[in-house]
Amino acid sequence: MFLLYLGFVTQDWGRAFPAMLIFIAYVPFEMLVQSFVQATMSQMARDTLIEGRISGKEIAKTLLGNLFSLMFIGVISYLQRRASDSKQSGFLGFLVAILVFVVAEVWDLVSNFGISAIVVERAGVKTLVARLKKLRSHVPDTLVRVIGIDLVDGIAQTLFASGVVFGLFGGGAFGYVFADKLPASFLAQFGEVAANTLPALGLLALSFTLSSFITSATVLAKSLYFTCLYLFVLHKDDLPNSRSQALEQMLAERQVWGKGC
């Protein structure tokens, strides 16, 4: 938003250029941060289910002790996103889009199980492969749920967070009509037309904020689900009986839902 303000209002390109560089570096940094956030959520779920409390010390130990593994997951997730964003036309482009979608969902599955394995038992690559073999009977249902979570995320983003067009055109029209009644510090000149950018920037900020909340909720849902499944399947004996029964009931209900879908 600061970059848009600099570009349209102040046109201070001396400050806008460094802001552009920061924006370009934002996406890979975001994916790295997301892998660490997932690990944090997974550790919190693990501590709550097994220990009955959250330990900040254990969270820090998990993040620092598995720094390179989590960074590797973040880098691969960034490359996968770049591949998903690339577009090609024609029938070949359609086939590539399907292939990229399948690869993205499979990687989503592997990376989430991988973070759960890192958190629960500090697993390396060899251990993770062995654990995935034990979890393969759950892969079809789990893949359905991953796609379902992503679908809900996409619908929510469309309904509640995709206000870019409305912000640009609706906010722009409002800023044009009431240009003189809004703070002059947001007044921009487009040729001979003067418009106040405050409504447009405000709506865009609201849209981006909602998008971030929805993305965070999606990350939280995946972290909780995969950690619960990992613990229930591979470390059921470590869970107290009450939590083990609750997890069994929850996963059974989700299995019925997945088959229904």
Side-chain angles (χ1 to χ4, degrees):
M1 300 310 302
F2 180 64
L3 180 59
L4 291 176
Y5 176 78
L6 291 177
F8 289 104
V9 181
T10 66
Q11 297 185 3
D12 185 355
W13 300 109
R15 288 194 297 171
F17 182 71
M20 288 180 184
L21 296 180
I22 295 173
F23 180 76
I24 292 173
Y26 169 72
V27 174
F29 179 75
E30 178 192 19
M31 298 307 298
L32 290 175
V33 171
Q34 182 173 312
S35 65
F36 285 94
V37 170
Q38 284 186 265
T40 300
M41 295 295 182
S42 184
Q43 182 69 48
M44 292 171 65
R46 183 261 175 204
D47 290 346
T48 301
L49 290 171
I50 295 180
E51 308 293 341
R53 60 183 178 84
I54 296 175
S55 172
K57 182 179 179 180
E58 289 300 320
I59 292 174
K61 186 186 296 185
T62 295
L63 297 182
L64 295 176
N66 300 279
L67 182 64
F68 294 105
S69 298
L70 294 173
M71 288 181 64
F72 174 77
I73 292 175
V75 169
I76 298 300
S77 297
Y78 167 69
L79 295 176
Q80 173 264 312
R81 175 182 283 190
R82 286 290 301 271
S84 299
D85 291 340
S86 63
K87 304 295 181 182
Q88 296 188 27
S89 59
F91 182 69
L92 178 60
F94 175 73
L95 294 179
V96 171
I98 294 177
L99 178 62
V100 169
F101 173 78
V102 173
V103 171
E105 294 302 326
V106 172
W107 169 248
D108 202 9
L109 190 72
V110 172
S111 63
N112 278 283
F113 271 134
I115 289 176
S116 296
I118 288 172
V119 168
V120 174
E121 50 187 316
R122 308 293 190 266
V125 175
K126 186 176 180 180
T127 304
L128 175 59
V129 172
R131 297 296 182 265
L132 288 175
K133 289 180 180 179
K134 292 183 178 181
L135 290 163
R136 59 188 174 187
S137 62
H138 296 270
V139 167
D141 292 336
T142 305
L143 187 58
V144 169
R145 294 186 195 104
V146 169
I147 295 174
I149 293 174
D150 289 338
L151 181 61
V152 172
D153 173 58
I155 293 174
Q157 295 276 7
T158 301
L159 293 177
F160 300 106
S162 297
V164 175
V165 175
F166 180 73
L168 290 176
F169 291 96
F174 190 89
Y176 171 72
V177 174
F178 298 98
D180 298 332
K181 298 181 180 180
L182 295 171
S185 57
F186 288 90
L187 191 64
Q189 194 73 28
F190 301 93
E192 298 180 355
V193 177
N196 198 294
T197 60
L198 180 59
L201 292 178
L203 289 172
L204 288 175
L206 178 61
S207 176
F208 295 155
T209 302
L210 287 173
S211 178
S212 298
F213 277 122
I214 293 171
T215 300
S216 300
T218 302
V219 171
L220 174 62
K222 288 183 179 181
S223 299
L224 292 177
Y225 172 71
F226 278 96
T227 303
C228 290
L229 180 62
Y230 193 92
L231 286 170
F232 180 76
V233 175
L234 299 177
H235 296 275
K236 188 175 181 179
D237 294 338
D238 295 338
L239 296 170
N241 291 331
S242 58
R243 297 191 182 98
S244 178
Q245 293 173 359
L247 275 180
E248 185 174 9
Q249 182 179 0
M250 181 191 74
L251 293 173
E253 291 174 354
R254 292 182 181 274
Q255 185 174 11
V256 172
W257 176 83
K259 291 180 179 179
C261 292

